Amino acid sequence: MEKSKGQWSSKLGFVLASAGAAIGLGAIWKMPYVAGQSGGGAFFLIFVVLTLIIGLPMLLSEYIIGRAAQKEAVTAYKVLSPNPKVWAWIGKLGILGCFLLLSFYSVVGGWIFVYSGVSIVGNVIEPSVDPGAFFGQVTGTPWIALVGLALFTIANVVVIALGVQNGIEKANKFMMPLLFIMFFILVIRAVTLDGAMEGIKFFLYPDFSNITGESILYALGQSFFALAVGFSCLVTYSSYLKKDVSLPNSAGSVVGLSIFVSFLAGLAIFPVVFAFDMEVASGPPLLFMVLPAAFSQMPFGEVFLAMFLILFLFATLTSSFSMYEIIVAAVIEKWNITRAQITMIIGVLVFIASIPSTLTYSTLGDVSIFGRSIFDFTDFVVSNVILPVGNLLIAIFIMHIMDKKVVKSELLQGSKMGEGFYRTYRILMTFVVPAVIFLVLLYLVIQY
């Protein structure tokens, strides 16, 4: 049997893979439209604060658990706790969350696959093509959306089947640097459009008049979503990590990159939204209407659009790799089956589970769950219920169940950080993180 166990070949490979898990749809696709619906600059400021005081300690916690156990998510909680059967449910909840997340994340990945393919032949930003109508055609034609979903699923299966170093790490080392280059090009073009200043002001000027309890809930969910914490994906990733790598430095790099990309996403999208008088709170379709409008104003716009969409696809894939990996690694640990076989099986299951969300914009458009479409309901449950609960359980586990000496040793090993850093981490994880998550969940219960 081919074992799931592997190792990152370098610290850079681990950081890029972790950043790839974080920098995907959460930072590039979801941040602009959620911020647009929830107050713009004020929302982004709350998101940054929550990411630093809640997201960063949670990211460190997943790193600590994974490297200490040297096991995938479910088994890691078993070997580090005195009551294995109970605490293994944190890892199982993470697997469930990743599976549900993939059921709508893969839908958007499929849209990007279709857009990438069409843009290569130059049919997205022709004068006769209306971006909104084109998006409606892609998402509202079942066979087109399903073909995109299938292609996105196959791409994940191929990379995950290749393993940690030959698949995930190599893909991230190639995809992530290219993404940043294209992002800078898009931002420069966006902020130099006529009327762009209103969009910049909306994104950077904190107007708290539109902030509600639900906005804070969404900001916390966005923080977790953007860092990929709460699912225990990074428990699995850090189980492949060598002991001499500094966890604080790695976590700091990932958080910094995630916030920076979210900032770039806002600068790339909102100036265009205001310059072309688009609806800032239009939801998930926002990015797919803004990108063509932005690139249509550039020389060789079709070429740049095709390049960016392909790189946006890369970022989407690097995030989905981590979701597939936690499921694949857990199943391989338990069953006598090869990585390639289980990856194909899981790919088929994810494809089937994604069909309802894929058809949300076509044949299942009239179906609603508690007033939300299938796509939006799944997104809400994952981002605002499973993620906060998962993070709360991880905080309880690492502060009250796991051996404190092991926690301290893993946190400081390979790092120049000292006792003060450890005490700050403990205060945040013992008091601040659980309190904030609990208050947000309490608000959720009261509201719904």
Side-chain angles (χ1 to χ4, degrees), residues 330-390:
V331 175
I332 293 176
E333 183 74 22
K334 188 173 183 180
W335 293 352
N336 186 27
I337 190 169
T338 67
R339 169 177 281 268
Q341 289 171 330
I342 193 56
T343 303
M344 285 188 285
I345 292 170
I346 291 170
V348 170
L349 294 176
V350 168
F351 178 85
I352 294 171
S354 303
I355 292 175
S357 288
T358 304
L359 301 180
T360 289
Y361 290 87
S362 55
T363 56
L364 297 181
D366 295 330
V367 178
S368 66
I369 306 173
F370 297 108
R372 302 173 187 269
S373 69
I374 297 172
F375 183 101
D376 290 337
F377 177 77
T378 309
D379 182 6
F380 179 84
V381 169
V382 171
S383 300
N384 301 296
V385 180
I386 293 179
L387 274 180
V389 169

Side-chain angles (χ1 to χ4, degrees), residues 387-440:
L387 274 180
V389 169
N391 278 286
L392 182 60
L393 291 174
I394 291 170
I396 294 171
F397 178 84
I398 200 163
M399 288 295 101
H400 303 288
I401 305 301
M402 192 172 165
D403 189 323
K404 293 179 177 59
K405 292 181 180 178
V406 175
V407 173
K408 182 177 181 179
S409 173
E410 287 294 337
L411 179 66
L412 300 181
Q413 188 168 0
S415 169
K416 295 180 180 179
M417 299 295 183
E419 187 72 27
F421 180 79
Y422 172 69
R423 285 198 298 268
T424 302
Y425 166 78
R426 283 200 64 85
I427 290 171
L428 288 173
M429 288 302 300
T430 304
F431 302 107
V432 180
V433 172
V436 171
I437 297 175
F438 178 77
L439 288 174
V440 168

Side-chain angles (χ1 to χ4, degrees), residues 46-64:
I46 294 171
F47 159 75
V48 171
V49 172
L50 289 176
T51 299
L52 293 174
I53 66 172
I54 308 294
L56 177 56
M58 287 306 312
L59 182 62
L60 277 169
S61 298
E62 290 204 23
Y63 282 173
I64 290 168

Side-chain angles (χ1 to χ4, degrees), residues 66-279:
R67 191 170 71 172
Q70 294 287 291
K71 297 288 185 181
E72 45 69 40
V74 176
T75 309
Y77 294 102
K78 288 183 179 179
V79 302
L80 295 174
S81 69
N83 197 338
K85 290 185 178 179
V86 172
W87 292 102
W89 279 101
I90 301 179
K92 293 176 182 178
L93 179 65
I95 290 174
L96 172 64
C98 280
F99 189 82
L100 289 175
L101 176 54
L102 282 169
S103 76
F104 71 87
Y105 193 101
S106 299
V107 176
V108 185
W111 297 345
I112 300 168
F113 239 116
V114 173
Y115 265 75
S116 300
V118 176
S119 69
I120 289 174
V121 296
N123 292 330
V124 178
I125 57 176
E126 291 181 347
S128 60
V129 177
D130 175 73
F134 184 78
F135 177 79
Q137 183 180 2
V138 170
T139 60
T141 306
W143 74 266
I144 295 177
L146 288 171
V147 167
L149 171 64
L151 291 172
F152 185 78
T153 304
I154 291 168
N156 275 281
V157 168
V158 170
V159 171
I160 298 301
L162 289 172
V164 177
Q165 283 190 23
N166 293 326
I168 300 171
E169 185 172 349
K170 284 185 177 179
N172 278 285
K173 282 184 174 180
F174 171 71
M175 294 173 178
M176 294 307 294
L178 291 175
L179 176 70
F180 276 96
I181 293 172
M182 286 306 302
F183 228 140
F184 279 115
I185 293 174
L186 180 61
V187 169
I188 291 170
R189 181 56 206 156
V191 299
T192 55
L193 289 169
D194 291 335
M197 189 54 63
E198 286 300 313
I200 296 172
K201 182 180 177 181
F202 174 80
F203 181 54
L204 297 183
Y205 178 75
D207 178 5
F208 289 93
S209 62
N210 292 324
I211 293 295
T212 63
E214 190 169 41
S215 301
I216 297 173
L217 171 67
Y218 284 151
L220 182 62
Q222 176 63 24
S223 175
F224 292 153
F225 194 96
L227 287 178
V229 292
F231 292 132
S232 297
C233 294
L234 298 173
V235 170
T236 299
Y237 267 24
S238 61
S239 72
Y240 308 137
L241 189 61
K242 297 175 182 178
K243 292 288 186 178
D244 61 348
V245 174
S246 168
L247 296 186
N249 288 351
S250 299
S253 298
V254 171
V255 168
L257 286 172
S258 179
I259 292 175
F260 184 55
V261 168
S262 295
F263 173 74
L264 290 179
L267 286 183
I269 300 302
F270 289 118
V272 182
V273 170
F274 280 82
F276 291 94
D277 197 27
M278 296 179 177
E279 176 55 53

Side-chain angles (χ1 to χ4, degrees), residues 6-69:
Q7 269 199 334
W8 306 111
S9 66
S10 65
K11 181 176 73 173
L12 176 63
F14 170 66
V15 169
L16 287 177
S18 295
I23 299 169
L25 292 186
I28 301 173
W29 164 69
K30 197 173 182 184
M31 165 57 75
Y33 86 76
V34 175
Q37 294 172 332
S38 307
F43 176 87
F44 182 71
L45 181 60
I46 294 171
F47 159 75
V48 171
V49 172
L50 289 176
T51 299
L52 293 174
I53 66 172
I54 308 294
L56 177 56
M58 287 306 312
L59 182 62
L60 277 169
S61 298
E62 290 204 23
Y63 282 173
I64 290 168
I65 292 167
R67 191 170 71 172

